[in-house]
Amino acid sequence: CIQALAYIMNTTVSGRPTTLFEVSQLLGVSPSLVSRAFSGKGTLSAERCREITEAARSLGYEPNPLAQRLAT
């Protein structure tokens, strides 16, 4: 999943970045599931990973590297 998201551009209609929470709402899943897909931690089916990647792409989501560094 991580490599599939590398090319997604962070552009939104509202002018603010799309959040991980918005991606999870679109899919009706928990934010932690979406987070696991982006981080590569935990186990996800290939189908679920594809769904999350496509939803993120459709919303223009891009993981924030600064926020990722704060979490580690």
Side-chain angles (χ1 to χ4, degrees):
C1 281
I2 296 169
Q3 294 81 12
L5 292 171
Y7 65 90
I8 296 174
M9 299 304 293
N10 190 6
T11 56
T12 62
V13 175
S14 65
R16 64 172 177 72
T18 300
T19 65
L20 183 136
F21 183 73
E22 291 168 327
V23 175
S24 69
Q25 282 186 315
L26 178 67
L27 294 170
V29 299
S30 71
S32 63
L33 181 69
V34 176
S35 178
R36 287 197 313 264
F38 295 147
S39 70
K41 296 178 182 172
T43 58
L44 293 171
S45 69
E47 177 65 21
R48 179 61 81 181
C49 187
R50 185 189 59 76
E51 289 174 2
I52 292 170
T53 302
E54 288 178 5
R57 185 181 303 120
S58 73
L59 293 175
Y61 177 78
E62 180 180 317
N64 182 326
L66 179 59
Q68 290 174 329
R69 284 194 298 271
L70 289 173
T72 58

